[in-house]
Amino acid sequence: MAYILLQGSLINFDMEKRILTISWVGYPSTYYGNGQFGDIYDPDSPKVRDGIEIYRDVSSERYNATYISGADNETHWQWTYQIDNRTAKPIGVIGMHPWDGFDTDIMFTQKEGRGGWRQPLLGYPFDEWHGEVVFVANNVSLSNHFNVNMTGVIEIADIGITDRALNWLIALESNNTCRGTDPHATIDLGTLDENTLPPSCHLKIEFEATRPLVVIICAITAVIVNWTCTIFIFIITCETVFMRRGYMLQGMDILSMCFTALFALPTIRSLLPGAPAYGAKIDLIGILPCTLIVALCTVCISVSKLKIRRTTQKEE
């Protein structure tokens, strides 16, 4: 029996549209036991004449198929699977060439049970994303054998993901319902006993996207730097203005420092890897309050320098 192997490559993860794009390449393979499958160049791997259709976000159900045997020219029957959505269209056809493949855009949402700092975009850099896709493979030659569309469902036995998305960690888990509760079981689509087949045959893949440690460290460091600079400027301003240390207002050093920090601190955010648009919770904690405090300190220093200058002019 032929099994289908899928190998995916991460193409892009669009945060704004919340879509993960993956390019898949698939091919039929032979199972040698102990979790070992032949690769696409294995001479023992089955050859597919009419291709294998891949359907997305559908499942399959047990189907009592009939066929005419070439040996005795009589009608026989057996249990197999048929795709449950008869109007579904395949998203790709694989198996006829090594380069056969298809692309998928997978919608990501907030992971169930995760709120607060785990919310997508708002919880940067601790946000967690969740997405899923379901695949069903249909052997066209087998469907033609039964003379009924979508009755050639075969197992997608294994998947793999190569490449990495920049500033993201993409993890996946798969659930192969073709083997029921036993992951090491083998299914016999030629059986005459309906009860030996699981109720459905599909592969469900669940994705989880999180930020790598380097992104989290950069974001936390940016907040610490912002608040350190802000506190330093606030202390200097209090000592200069409220404690009336007039000599500290001589020259333009303090005022230049305040104006520099006023425009430099918000710029630090643009250097954060994979940062979303302005409005995340990190902005309310480490960007906006720091900018407001530095702006107020700048105004206080400017007013104090104007008062000293006016007093000096009156004395002259």
Side-chain angles (χ1 to χ4, degrees):
M1 176 185 174
Y3 297 87
I4 302 301
L5 303 184
L6 290 180
Q7 188 72 29
S9 297
L10 299 178
I11 303 300
N12 181 48
F13 185 30
D14 191 327
M15 290 188 303
E16 301 299 328
K17 296 181 180 179
R18 303 192 176 195
I19 291 178
L20 174 66
T21 302
I22 301 180
S23 180
W24 301 91
V25 175
Y27 55 90
S29 177
T30 299
Y31 182 62
Y32 292 107
N34 297 324
Q36 300 297 320
F37 294 89
D39 60 21
I40 194 170
Y41 301 106
D42 186 350
D44 295 329
S45 293
K47 303 300 183 288
V48 179
R49 181 184 61 187
D50 299 319
I52 296 173
E53 299 173 332
I54 302 296
Y55 292 81
R56 174 180 174 174
D57 295 334
V58 297
S59 186
S60 62
E61 56 191 6
R62 288 176 291 203
Y63 178 77
N64 189 355
T66 60
Y67 64 96
I68 299 177
S69 173
D72 53 15
N73 200 28
E74 294 184 359
T75 300
H76 298 263
W77 64 273
Q78 69 181 52
W79 284 100
T80 183
Y81 289 103
Q82 184 179 32
I83 294 175
D84 56 5
N85 185 356
R86 311 295 189 271
T87 62
K89 301 295 182 182
I91 61 174
V93 178
I94 61 175
M96 293 185 291
H97 310 95
W99 54 84
D100 289 341
F102 57 94
D103 296 339
T104 54
D105 291 334
I106 302 170
M107 180 65 68
F108 271 58
T109 58
Q110 179 175 330
K111 188 175 181 180
E112 184 177 356
R114 296 287 190 173
W117 280 97
R118 303 296 183 179
Q119 290 180 289
L121 295 181
L122 292 177
Y124 174 86
F126 304 104
D127 46 344
E128 295 182 359
W129 304 63
H130 176 79
E132 61 183 37
V133 65
V134 177
F135 289 138
V136 176
N138 178 65
N139 190 334
V140 179
S141 298
L142 191 57
S143 294
N144 295 337
H145 174 67
F146 296 132
N147 201 27
V148 178
N149 290 334
M150 304 181 181
T151 54
V153 174
I154 59 178
E155 178 185 355
I156 302 177
D158 195 17
I159 59 170
I161 294 291
T162 59
D163 301 332
R164 293 183 60 183
L166 183 63
N167 300 324
W168 287 98
L169 289 177
I170 307 294
L172 64 87
E173 291 184 358
S174 61
N175 179 23
N176 183 0
T177 63
C178 303
R179 304 194 180 198
T181 57
D182 184 2
H184 302 292
T186 57
I187 60 173
D188 180 14
L189 293 182
T191 181
L192 302 181
D193 185 2
E194 175 186 6
N195 296 323
T196 61
L197 292 180
S200 63
C201 182
H202 64 256
L203 180 69
K204 181 179 180 180
I205 310 173
E206 297 186 5
F207 296 88
E208 182 177 339
T210 55
R211 311 281 182 168
L213 182 61
V214 62
V215 174
I216 297 177
I217 292 177
C218 288
I220 295 176
T221 301
V223 172
I224 294 176
V225 169
N226 272 13
W227 273 110
T228 301
C229 295
T230 301
I231 293 173
F232 176 76
I233 292 175
F234 179 77
I235 293 175
I236 293 295
T237 302
C238 291
E239 186 176 359
T240 303
V241 177
F242 300 104
M243 298 182 67
R244 300 184 182 279
R245 304 282 177 85
Y247 67 91
M248 298 180 65
L249 292 174
Q250 297 178 1
M252 299 295 292
D253 294 343
I254 296 181
L255 187 60
S256 299
M257 179 182 63
C258 291
F259 270 106
T260 301
L262 182 61
F263 293 99
L265 293 184
T267 307
I268 294 178
R269 187 192 184 283
S270 63
L271 301 177
L272 297 180
Y278 194 86
K281 292 183 178 180
I282 192 174
D283 298 321
L284 302 178
I285 294 178
I287 306 297
L288 181 59
C290 294
T291 303
L292 292 177
I293 293 174
V294 172
L296 292 175
C297 291
T298 304
V299 171
C300 291
I301 293 293
S302 300
V303 171
S304 298
K305 287 186 68 67
L306 290 175
K307 290 179 63 177
I308 291 178
R309 185 175 182 181
R310 185 177 180 183
T311 302
T312 304
Q313 289 179 348
K314 285 184 176 180
E315 292 177 353
E316 293 178 350

